Amino acid sequence: MADLPGIVVTGASGRMGQMLVRTIGASDKARLVGCVERSGHAWVGRDIGECMGGAAVGVVVTDDPLEAFAKAQAVIDFTAPAATVEFAALAAQARAVHVIGTTGLEAAHLAKIEAAARHAVIVRAGNMSLGVNLLVRLTQKIAAALDEDWDVEIVEAHHRMKVDAPSGTALMLGQAAAEGRGVDLEAAMDSGRHGITGARKRGAIGFAAVRGGDIVGEHDVIFAADGERVILRHVATDRAIFARGALRAAIWGQGAKPGQYDMMDVLGL
């Protein structure tokens, strides 16, 4: 086991954090070597296995990310933008692969992550699932084949606790549609319609977000023309698909050169 890549999970108490801990613990291709939580969190100083209601696994939750990263080959991070930027710099310092599933990142965050990628491997994706990344590729291909007589709308649904909208996956899909059409997403994006909006602008890429219950993640890409529609859909029913994809990315990154990658690179799509 000692020769397997050691993985640190940040935000270990969260839904994705706990799923990652379980996924890594069940893997024969990696080992859990650290868990990070914010200072003052009740889990700090306790064994992660016991915190999650099970037996001790020999990994104590820490609030010192640099110490944890120093003994790891990879860090898997589904936290918040400000924390992810800090982790990117520390992971680069430790020369650990940094797998980022955090969403809601803005231009300033992305610039700092890009700087960290000059020194270490970063794999960043709005969604780590194989199915979603296939959907992204299909969206790009269909958008390239259809002209602006076909309106593009992206509808996403998530659980009530999700704090950002549109989702990172929806933005991935929008970017794929924009690239297929050869346009800039920021210029074409139309979201949050309310009131008297007027007729739909030709060439716009629309977004709509649904929040409720415990929905794991649902995404529809609608290409609508007069008389017909093409609808691409992905439904996630188990958060484990994201954890498995993130672990695959962490293992893949062991053989990569410093730089920023995405799941298309990991999956060879």
Side-chain angles (χ1 to χ4, degrees):
M1 287 289 290
D3 60 339
L4 298 178
I7 314 289
V8 170
V9 174
T10 62
S13 72
R15 288 184 217 180
M16 271 307 303
Q18 293 189 51
M19 181 62 71
L20 285 161
V21 168
R22 287 192 285 269
T23 300
I24 296 165
S27 173
D28 60 359
K29 295 181 174 62
R31 58 197 173 94
L32 183 71
V33 298
C35 289
V36 175
E37 260 302 343
R38 64 186 182 278
S39 296
H41 193 282
W43 286 17
V44 173
R46 298 174 57 200
D47 187 283
I48 186 63
E50 294 176 341
C51 289
M52 291 171 55
V57 297
V59 176
V60 174
V61 180
T62 180
D63 58 5
D64 185 344
L66 184 56
E67 179 185 21
F69 295 179
K71 58 187 178 184
Q73 284 70 56
V75 176
I76 303 181
D77 174 20
F78 285 73
T79 55
T84 290
V85 168
E86 177 186 351
F87 294 147
L90 296 176
Q93 185 177 335
R95 298 298 187 266
V97 173
H98 188 192
V99 178
I100 300 175
T102 303
T103 58
L105 296 164
E106 298 178 355
H109 302 127
L110 296 175
K112 292 179 179 178
I113 290 170
E114 184 65 36
R118 292 198 289 267
H119 307 287
V121 174
I122 293 179
V123 181
R124 183 178 67 83
N127 194 300
M128 298 284 176
S129 90
L130 173 59
V132 161
N133 283 278
L134 290 171
L135 178 61
V136 169
R137 182 63 79 212
L138 289 169
T139 298
Q140 183 181 28
K141 288 183 175 295
I142 292 176
L146 302 176
D147 62 22
E148 291 186 349
D149 287 340
W150 293 76
D151 300 322
V152 183
E153 291 286 320
I154 298 167
V155 182
E156 54 100 344
H158 285 86
H159 54 87
R160 66 170 67 94
M161 302 302 292
K162 187 168 178 61
V163 298
D164 59 307
S167 69
T169 302
L171 292 172
M172 284 172 63
L173 293 165
Q175 184 61 43
E179 289 174 359
R181 285 192 163 173
V183 300
D184 178 66
L185 176 59
E186 188 172 344
M189 187 173 181
D190 186 2
S191 63
R193 299 184 184 108
H194 179 76
I196 307 301
T197 62
R200 191 185 196 282
K201 182 180 177 182
R202 180 179 169 83
I205 298 174
F207 290 81
V210 175
R211 296 289 178 269
D214 62 354
I215 301 170
V216 174
E218 300 178 4
H219 294 85
D220 291 276
V221 184
I222 304 167
F223 294 89
D226 293 343
E228 60 183 328
R229 281 172 289 169
V230 175
I231 302 174
L232 305 177
R233 176 164 233 227
H234 180 271
V235 176
T237 58
D238 187 344
R239 201 166 273 104
I241 64 173
F242 311 127
R244 289 195 295 267
L247 178 57
R248 182 168 175 172
I251 295 168
W252 175 88
Q254 301 305 310
K257 296 179 180 179
Q260 189 167 183
Y261 302 89
D262 60 21
M263 285 302 288
M264 297 297 180
D265 298 305
V266 174
L267 300 172
L269 295 176

